Amino acid sequence: MRTSPGRANSTGFWKVMFVLLRAAQQRAKGRRERQSELLTRRAGEESTSWEGFALLGALVLAVLLHGAAAWVVQRAVASGPRIDAERSGKIVVGSRFKDEILRLERAGAGKLTSFNKEFDALCRGEAGNMALSEGASSHDSRKEILETKLRESVMSYGSRDLVAIDTGVSGVPALSGAHSSSA
């Protein structure tokens, strides 16, 4: 393969690329300085550069968007086991509620009825928590429906159909516990 006499002394690709990029950088710096000079002359005083605030605003927006996306994913993961438990006929409740129902059953309260004021208060409070976790407002009719369903289920079957949130959910928290115990 022949090389021409001018090619033997030619400059390499990367060296040319570096020179061109450096020239573009210097031109951009000059344009920024000239624009700043023109802006200062037009305003009559030193003007504020908003570049830093724009960058900070973009970063804050990115953090908020990522946080919202993480929240949505967490809610989706947490709702899967809840849906599975409800599909099998169980009612997913807070662990405190289930413990209190078990305590009432052991205390010999007999068959829990709606005449038991402590039982009524427990059902009302848990139905409110369930409605809020499902996205209903505190004045929504969903709360009354959940309260009726909860009360009737506990009066008929006791604590057998109740699944506490921490025992029924086998999502991300269960994975972290399983990972550390296998090491």
Side-chain angles (χ1 to χ4, degrees):
M1 185 165 163
R2 275 191 178 173
T3 59
S4 62
R7 191 172 174 121
N9 296 337
S10 66
T11 308
F13 171 78
W14 293 111
K15 193 169 189 175
V16 170
M17 183 62 70
F18 177 74
V19 169
L20 290 172
L21 286 173
R22 180 77 178 142
Q25 184 182 26
Q26 288 175 344
R27 280 195 318 270
K29 181 181 175 190
R31 280 194 300 270
R32 275 194 310 270
E33 288 173 356
R34 179 66 179 153
Q35 282 181 339
S36 178
E37 179 184 318
L38 290 173
L39 186 60
T40 302
R41 191 178 302 162
R42 186 173 63 180
E45 58 190 49
E46 190 64 32
S47 61
T48 304
S49 175
W50 294 99
E51 295 170 356
F53 291 116
L55 178 63
L56 182 65
L59 288 175
V60 168
L61 181 64
V63 167
L64 290 174
L65 286 174
H66 280 84
W71 180 79
V72 167
V73 168
Q74 186 272 335
R75 293 287 296 204
V77 168
S79 66
R82 177 183 296 269
I83 291 170
D84 286 342
E86 289 175 352
R87 196 175 282 156
S88 66
K90 304 291 184 184
I91 299 175
V92 180
V93 295
S95 57
R96 185 185 145 272
F97 177 78
K98 184 172 182 182
D99 291 343
E100 289 296 318
I101 294 297
L102 286 170
R103 183 186 60 76
L104 286 174
E105 287 177 341
R106 280 193 303 265
K111 189 169 182 165
L112 295 173
T113 65
S114 60
F115 299 113
N116 186 331
K117 291 181 182 182
E118 187 178 5
F119 174 64
D120 275 348
L122 284 171
C123 287
R124 193 173 306 111
E126 186 61 26
N129 292 340
M130 291 168 66
L132 287 175
S133 72
E134 291 179 7
S137 68
S138 59
H139 302 294
D140 196 356
S141 64
R142 179 78 178 136
K143 179 181 174 184
E144 286 80 25
I145 294 169
L146 288 170
E147 184 178 347
T148 303
K149 176 183 173 186
L150 187 61
R151 181 177 285 119
E152 288 174 357
S153 175
V154 173
M155 286 186 328
S156 299
Y157 304 109
S159 60
R160 288 182 302 194
D161 281 351
L162 302 179
V163 176
I165 290 174
D166 49 353
T167 59
V169 176
S170 59
V172 176
L175 291 177
S176 64
H179 179 66
S180 63
S181 65
S182 65

